[in-house]
Structure formats: C-alpha cells, structure tokens
Amino acid sequence: MNTTQPSTEILLRLTREALPLFYCCAENYVGRAIPGITMALSGEPVADLNYLVIDDASESAQAGFRGLVGHCDAQDLPFAVIVAPAVAEALEPLRAELDLVYATDWPLMVCPGEAVQDHPREGVQSRPVRDEEDRQGLARVLAGAFQMPAESVLRAMPRRLFDSPSIEGWVAAWDGAIQSTVTATWHGSVVGIWAMGTAPEAQGQGVGKALLSRVMHDARQRGAEAFFLGATPSGFPLYERLGYVTVADCPIWVRGVTHQA
C-alpha cells in the first residue's frame, strides 16, 4: 500500500472498516457486511449516527442494498449513505427508487505523514479521553456542533469504546472547559479522523486546529504514515490548512436529516 497517498478504493475500504469499529460498542448497534456494502448503525434516531457505504453497482450489490435500506426503514432509523464516486452515476436510479435524498458531496481527504506539524495554542490542553467527565464533554461538544441529542452520542460512544487499541478519543480543554473533540481509528500505519467537532462558542479560535494537529503529531510519533477523513463544509478549510488534499468527492444520500452538509 502506498501509505503516503492511498487510492480512493483503499480509502473507501478503510472507511468500511472504520465505521463498524466506531459504532460496535453502541448500545443498539447493528452491523452488516456483504460484498460491496457495509452497514454500521448506532441505532440512535439520528442520521449522522447511522451509516451505509456502497462501492459496487452490480445487481447483487443493489439487491443487498435494498435489503439493508429496508432494515433501516423497518426500524424507522434515519441514516446516511456514503457512495463511491465510481458507481454513483450507475446507482442513481436506485437512489430514486428508494427515495433517498442527495445531501452533499463528501470530500475524502488524505494528509501524508511528512506534512504533519503541531500547532499549539495558548490555553488549550489536548488529551486522550481519560474519564467519564471527558466523555461527557465529548458528547456535549458533538451535540452542539452537529445538532444532535447528547444522550444519543453517549449511547453511541460508550466508555468501553475507548478501551480498544484501534480507536482513540481526544478532547481539547480551553481555559479549563472541553471545547473540541476528535476520534481516531488506526488501520496499520494509516489513521482515520472522525467526529471532529468544536463547540460553537469556540469555533474560529484555533482550538480545533490545536487539537487535530496534536492528535496527528502524536500519531506520527507512534508510526502513522498517512491520515484520512471525510470533510464537512465547515471543516474543509481547516483540513486544507493542515495539509489534507481531496482524493475524491463521495455523494452522500440521506434518509432523514444530516447536519454535516
């Protein structure tokens, strides 16, 4: 694998690995993996906490996708679908058939390890999630940043999630109060960046930049060679400033409402 510039196909494969890892400890988790499709549901009534990924337009994959969408609909669960750009056009009739709404394009971005720099900010202390207070702060920040119930975040990301050696939660405290958070998933020497959020009152103050650069710098010191993420419009400028480049734009389809567009 070229870890400094993973291909779109590899990044989508890593995304399909990361989402079950991220949600497998949720109180109401349901996961499925079939050729070309992965489903990872937290079970919470929030589209941004339930995901499907599809990168295959074959008839068998489309049939499997219909079944997984049917499962979500039977449970009355909103969800988001990450679509591989190579199959998006071929799958457009399926999107229309299932009455899924195109929400936005999701820039899939990569940062090579050699581009990583630490950007500390005075008054900001970044640390791994270490106790229940940190987890409560993480939930509060994500709830405020993405307009979702904090109790849903807490159920989707229980304390035992951060006991895994392959996933790390981080928070940044600014003048003593937790104001930003990010979660990292490890895939060998490639690290995924997820659930990056900053409290509305702290946005634009360099807190999120200090946190993410610290997480990446720490991971780089432990052998990470590349980083990847899917960018929201609000996060995109920060990621570019930290050295991320767009590899592909993945359409996002939604049943329900997403606050990441």
Side-chain angles (χ1 to χ4, degrees):
M1 179 191 302
N2 179 3
T3 54
T4 60
Q5 187 62 64
S7 67
T8 301
E9 291 74 18
I10 289 174
L11 292 174
L12 285 166
R13 189 193 77 200
L14 295 179
T15 298
R16 292 180 60 181
E17 291 178 1
L19 288 169
L21 180 66
F22 195 96
Y23 289 120
C24 67
C25 292
E27 291 185 15
N28 301 305
Y29 173 71
V30 175
R32 298 283 189 275
I34 61 178
I37 309 166
T38 293
M39 180 177 77
L41 309 177
S42 73
E44 295 299 319
V46 179
D48 294 330
L49 295 176
N50 301 299
Y51 280 93
L52 286 81
V53 184
I54 181 166
D55 57 11
D56 186 347
S58 67
E59 290 186 9
S60 60
Q62 292 192 47
F65 184 76
R66 288 186 186 93
L68 297 180
V69 168
H71 170 86
C72 295
D73 289 345
Q75 303 299 315
D76 199 26
L77 276 180
F79 58 90
V81 184
I82 301 170
V83 184
V87 299
E89 184 175 354
L91 292 175
E92 178 59 22
L94 181 64
R95 182 204 63 76
E97 171 195 328
L98 296 173
D99 197 28
L100 300 174
V101 176
Y102 164 79
T104 188
D105 279 346
W106 191 65
L108 197 52
M109 307 182 77
V110 171
C111 178
E114 55 267 26
V116 171
Q117 297 183 41
D118 198 8
H119 295 275
R121 187 199 188 284
E122 185 177 358
V124 174
Q125 291 87 39
S126 300
R127 62 177 182 265
V129 170
R130 62 189 182 188
D131 54 28
E132 183 59 17
E133 182 179 352
D134 284 350
R135 192 175 74 93
Q136 292 283 339
L138 176 152
R140 178 185 60 79
V141 168
L142 290 179
F146 296 110
Q147 301 176 49
M148 62 179 77
E151 58 268 25
S152 286
V153 181
L154 288 168
R155 286 191 295 264
M157 302 176 70
R159 183 66 187 89
R160 64 184 179 275
L161 174 67
F162 304 114
D163 293 334
S164 167
S166 298
I167 192 163
E168 300 173 355
W170 285 71
V171 294
W174 184 28
D175 292 337
I178 293 175
Q179 299 285 18
S180 190
T181 182
V182 70
T183 299
T185 56
W186 282 77
H187 311 267
S189 61
V190 180
V191 174
I193 299 297
W194 304 92
M196 174 77 198
T198 300
E201 62 271 19
Q203 292 177 7
Q205 304 296 317
V207 180
K209 181 179 181 181
L211 172 62
L212 182 53
S213 67
R214 179 70 253 173
V215 171
M216 293 169 61
H217 185 268
D218 181 84
R220 179 66 170 160
Q221 296 298 109
R222 290 182 285 139
E225 297 181 22
F227 301 82
F228 74 98
L229 55 79
T232 62
S234 60
F236 186 85
L238 168 62
Y239 303 140
E240 280 200 319
R241 290 196 296 272
L242 290 179
Y244 285 85
V245 295
T246 300
V247 175
D249 288 309
C250 299
I252 299 292
W253 303 341
V254 176
R255 172 87 81 227
V257 177
T258 178
H259 293 285
Q260 299 200 49

